[in-house]
């Protein structure tokens, strides 16, 4: 009997820049056996202040590029892209491109985790202007936990600080205090704060320092990694199409030297990147 040969490929991980590396680290910790291709669109970051149409177009170009490399499954390790492009790509583009491939985001797994963390359902959300203004978190929380309240605070200066390695100086302290104070002034009873941007874990120590100590601060990496593990267990047809060599290839749209230096710092590991062009 003729057996279909299953084509296997790495899992694609996409972000506008370095932020998705925080998700990649946790995914590789939980699922070290798979191969990965990380793509950072650093030349066009930040996405957080860009319009819906632009974020959608850039994200689709990146997904298409990863599909062209053979990826069967792509994770948008970026809240802005998940908020502004994921639904359109899933509903409008995938059916034409290839209905068997999948693109998943980071918002749903984050929201799902809330019920085991919050005591009073008063949820703070720190994110890019794009993520906050899209209302995606509020809509997702309303679906799962209609009794919760979400207070969103845009933090437009944080991604530029992180992309430029300016995370531990007076300027960083100033802007972290500015946005955390603005968030807590919306409701002093907020008991759980979501870091709703994959870049923000790189500012975690400062954010922790400026938030009241009783507030729980939620990073997404572990949540997304556990959710991907669960997804692959529930979808053996996709799991079989993910190659298992434990490797990771790093691609960037900016200079590879710059990416290599920064990623090595963020990951605490020496990596080499290759420059590619999108669009
Ligand atoms: N890391 C991204 C996010 O999670 C995007 C940041 C940006 O490019 O503005 O939203």
């Amino acid at each position: 009997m003729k057996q279909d040969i299953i084509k296997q490929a790495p899992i694609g991980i996409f972000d506008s820049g370095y932020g998705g590396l925080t998700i990649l680290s946790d995914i590789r910790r939980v699922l070290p056996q798979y191969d990965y291709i990380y793509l950072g669109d650093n030349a066009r970051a930040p996405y957080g202040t860009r319009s819906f149409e632009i974020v959608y177009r850039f994200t689709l170009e990146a997904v298409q590029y990863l599909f062209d490399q053979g990826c069967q499954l792509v994770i948008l390790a970026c809240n802005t892209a998940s908020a502004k492009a994921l639904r359109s790509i899933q509903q409008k583009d995938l059916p034409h491109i290839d209905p068997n491939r999948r693109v998943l985001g980071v918002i749903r797994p984050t929201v799902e985790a809330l019920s085991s963390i919050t005591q009073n359902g008063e949820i703070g959300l720190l994110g890019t202007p794009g993520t906050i203004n899209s209302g995606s978190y509020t809509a997702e929380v309303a679906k799962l936990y209609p009794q919760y309240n979400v207070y969103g605070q845009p933090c437009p200066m944080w991604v530029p600080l992180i992309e430029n390695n300016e995370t531990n100086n007076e300027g960083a302290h100033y802007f972290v205090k500015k946005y955390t104070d603005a968030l807590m002034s919306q409701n002093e009873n907020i008991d759980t704060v979501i870091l709703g941007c994959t870049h923000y874990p790189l500012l975690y120590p400062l954010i922790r320092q400026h938030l009241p100590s009783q507030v729980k601060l939620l990073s997404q990496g572990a949540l997304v990694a556990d959710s991907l593990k669960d997804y692959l267990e529930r979808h053996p047809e996709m799991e079989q199409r993910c190659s298992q060599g434990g490797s990771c290839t790093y691609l960037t749209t900016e200079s590879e030297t710059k990416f290599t230096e920064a990623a090595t710092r963020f990951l605490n590991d020496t990596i080499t990147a290759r420059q590619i062009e999108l669009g």
Side-chain angles (χ1 to χ4, degrees):
M1 200 175 78
K2 186 173 163 260
Q3 286 243 309
D4 278 344
I5 296 169
I6 298 170
K7 245 179 106 191
Q8 293 191 321
I11 297 172
I13 311 275
F14 169 69
D15 182 44
S16 60
Y18 301 116
L21 295 172
T22 63
I23 302 283
L24 176 74
S25 293
D26 277 305
I27 290 181
R28 291 193 79 193
R29 179 178 52 74
V30 173
L31 299 165
Q33 67 273 40
Y34 298 108
D35 293 311
Y36 298 92
I37 300 180
Y38 182 89
L39 170 55
D41 191 8
N42 301 76
R44 303 189 291 191
Y47 278 16
T49 42
R50 292 189 185 274
S51 68
F52 179 94
E53 291 71 25
I54 294 291
V55 172
Y56 166 59
R57 178 156 64 80
F58 287 0
T59 305
L60 183 58
E61 284 170 9
V63 167
Q64 187 63 66
Y65 187 94
L66 289 166
F67 281 173
D68 291 345
Q69 309 310 299
C71 298
Q72 304 293 308
L73 175 62
V74 172
I75 312 294
L76 301 185
C78 174
N79 290 265
T80 311
S82 299
K84 292 188 157 192
L86 180 62
R87 184 159 304 202
S88 302
I89 291 177
Q90 284 174 334
Q91 294 177 356
K92 210 162 63 97
D93 301 301
L94 266 185
H96 302 293
I97 302 173
D98 183 346
N100 293 321
R101 302 207 199 190
R102 289 287 174 273
V103 181
L104 305 174
V106 289
I107 295 179
R108 179 81 184 203
T110 310
V111 170
E112 277 172 353
L114 287 174
S115 61
S116 59
I117 296 159
T118 181
Q119 302 279 319
N120 64 6
E122 304 294 341
I123 311 295
L125 171 66
L126 298 164
T128 66
T131 298
I132 303 297
N133 297 334
S134 73
S136 295
Y137 269 95
T138 313
E140 204 63 49
V141 169
K143 265 191 248 158
L144 294 184
Y145 313 113
Q147 70 280 25
Y148 292 1
N149 296 310
V150 179
Y151 305 89
Q153 176 60 46
C155 312
M157 288 303 292
W158 287 3
V159 171
L161 286 169
I162 293 160
E163 286 284 311
N164 292 293
N165 192 25
E166 298 280 354
T167 53
N168 199 7
N169 53 34
E170 250 177 68
H173 271 277
Y174 173 83
F175 282 111
V176 169
K177 179 167 167 37
K178 178 174 171 153
Y179 300 142
T180 48
D181 283 357
L183 174 69
M184 293 311 294
S185 72
Q186 294 186 49
N187 184 335
E188 62 182 14
N189 295 321
I190 289 172
D191 81 340
T192 302
V193 171
I194 300 171
L195 287 184
C197 172
T198 56
H199 280 67
Y200 296 174
L202 297 162
L203 277 174
Y204 189 98
L206 257 60
I207 300 170
R208 181 64 277 174
Q209 194 180 324
H210 286 284
L211 279 174
S213 58
Q214 76 279 8
V215 170
K216 296 189 194 84
L217 187 54
L218 204 56
S219 280
Q220 299 176 294
L223 306 176
V224 173
D226 289 345
S227 162
L228 178 59
K229 181 169 185 276
D230 180 57
Y231 175 86
L232 291 172
E233 280 164 9
R234 286 184 292 109
H235 294 87
E237 77 291 349
M238 178 54 79
E239 198 280 334
Q240 284 164 20
R241 290 192 282 148
C242 299
S243 59
Q244 299 203 16
S247 73
C248 188
T249 303
Y250 295 89
L251 306 176
T252 175
T253 52
E254 243 286 356
S255 126
E256 48 198 38
T257 318
K258 198 172 156 206
F259 187 93
T260 297
E261 269 171 31
T264 297
R265 192 172 67 242
F266 293 149
L267 291 168
N268 259 332
D269 192 11
T270 311
I271 64 114
T272 315
R274 183 157 56 80
Q275 186 174 14
I276 59 125
E277 227 171 88
L278 290 178

